[in-house]
Amino acid sequence: MERFSKEGRTLVCFDFDETYFPHACTPEQLEGVRRLEQFLEQHAHRFSTMWVTGSSFESLAEKTSRASMRYFPHRIASSLGTELYHVNDKGGLELDTVFQQMFPSDFVERVNRTIEVLRRLGIELEPQTSIGRNPWMYNYYYHGDDMTTLQLIRSLVEEAGIAANVSRCNPLAGDPDGSYDIDFIPHGAGKTAAVDYVCEHFSFRSEEAYAFGDSGNDLEMLKRVGNGYVLGNGTEQAKKGHHRVTEKSYAAGILEVLTREVE
């Protein structure tokens, strides 16, 4: 896969699943990915790119291979923004260990205590076994849509001193219908935290940055930058929660916005 030796000064962040990467991988969708890759290569002097995703690094490797992608971004914030990788001078990816040093050392114990409290209250969360193991991210499904229960989960997470992404599942990405993702992560981690860290440490202006997503767990990131967009294929939750929605879907929706930037 090709990587840029030099990066532009406008940060562009992409959620991966059902944003940059279409799970159906239809010929039309993959042709859109090719056009997007070509565009980003042509405008490397303008844009510094970053995948910001809930997928693990291992899962990204499988998906990029499935779609025959040939382009890697300058940075990858994987596993829901708990791991941050940068392209080094040799074209390889290096883990940013300084970023993870900000996370609390007793994170796992705090998660386990929260899960036990929920169990005693009769609230069972199903572990997500397909995501992989990461000491800074614990993923569950809540099968239901009771808002009181979801608010209780948020309150217990806050009391435990950790953070959680609570968002409606997207069946197009392989999630169960009628359920919610409950993703426990440390304070200081997450999609928005990763974007903030990159802006602060690498001198990007967040008010000039772009971000694209498709689901509820992207909304905070989209609101943090100056140019955040929900794609046309986004979930109803995401579309209702953000004021900028593209007309087109997937890569075509991304290009709809970025081509206006370079004209």
Side-chain angles (χ1 to χ4, degrees):
M1 295 187 182
E2 297 181 6
R3 301 187 178 102
F4 302 142
S5 58
K6 294 183 180 180
E7 56 182 312
R9 297 315 305 164
T10 299
L11 182 65
V12 184
C13 304
F14 309 96
D15 170 56
F16 192 76
D17 294 280
E18 289 300 291
T19 296
Y20 197 102
F21 171 76
H23 275 246
C25 286
T26 67
E28 180 182 4
Q29 290 170 339
L30 293 181
E31 179 58 31
V33 173
R34 304 289 174 266
R35 289 194 296 270
L36 176 58
E37 289 180 323
Q38 183 179 24
F39 174 88
L40 294 174
E41 289 168 348
Q42 290 175 342
H43 298 281
H45 62 290
R46 296 284 300 273
F47 301 124
S48 178
T49 52
M50 180 175 172
W51 290 343
V52 189
T53 174
S55 291
S56 67
F57 194 75
E58 293 75 17
S59 177
L60 286 173
E62 183 276 324
K63 292 167 184 173
T64 56
S65 176
R66 193 194 324 164
S68 299
M69 293 183 183
R70 61 185 177 86
Y71 168 79
F72 256 119
H74 300 98
R75 294 175 180 83
I76 298 175
S78 58
S79 297
L80 208 62
T82 60
E83 298 174 337
L84 180 60
Y85 296 87
H86 306 275
V87 174
N88 60 27
D89 293 337
K90 297 180 179 179
L93 286 167
E94 290 185 355
L95 180 67
D96 188 329
T97 56
V98 174
F99 178 61
Q100 292 184 330
Q101 288 174 5
M102 301 184 297
F103 303 164
S105 59
D106 63 343
F107 167 68
V108 176
E109 289 81 0
R110 297 185 189 200
V111 171
N112 289 337
R113 288 197 298 268
T114 303
I115 294 296
E116 180 57 31
V117 171
L118 288 169
R119 186 177 293 115
R120 290 201 300 266
L121 293 172
I123 301 170
E124 294 288 341
L125 302 182
E126 178 191 350
Q128 296 188 33
T129 58
S130 62
I131 291 183
R133 298 184 61 82
N134 177 342
W136 302 112
M137 182 178 70
Y138 285 75
N139 309 86
Y140 295 82
Y141 290 125
Y142 165 62
H143 298 296
D145 58 2
D146 181 70
M147 294 298 108
T148 301
T149 298
L150 292 172
Q151 186 55 49
L152 175 61
I153 293 172
R154 292 187 178 96
S155 298
L156 290 174
V157 163
E158 184 175 354
E159 291 176 9
I162 56 179
N165 164 63
V166 179
S167 62
R168 186 175 291 278
C169 289
N170 186 353
L172 293 176
D175 291 333
D177 197 7
S179 300
Y180 276 79
D181 284 310
I182 310 293
D183 306 309
F184 298 103
I185 59 175
H187 272 307
K191 291 188 173 187
T192 305
V195 173
D196 285 344
Y197 176 89
V198 168
C199 286
E200 179 180 352
H201 287 77
F202 298 94
S203 301
F204 294 109
R205 296 172 61 88
S206 60
E207 63 270 23
E208 297 176 357
Y210 286 77
F212 299 90
D214 74 292
S215 64
N217 70 3
D218 299 315
L219 290 177
E220 184 180 353
M221 175 180 71
L222 301 184
K223 296 177 188 297
R224 183 61 59 91
V225 301
N227 305 282
Y229 290 84
V230 174
L231 295 185
N233 58 285
T235 65
E236 288 306 310
Q237 177 194 18
K239 291 178 179 179
K240 291 178 180 178
H242 194 63
H243 64 290
R244 290 194 183 108
V245 180
T246 65
E247 292 185 11
K248 299 178 181 179
S249 300
Y250 299 105
I254 296 171
L255 286 170
E256 174 187 322
V257 175
L258 293 183
T259 51
R260 292 200 300 263
E261 167 66 17
V262 300
E263 289 176 350

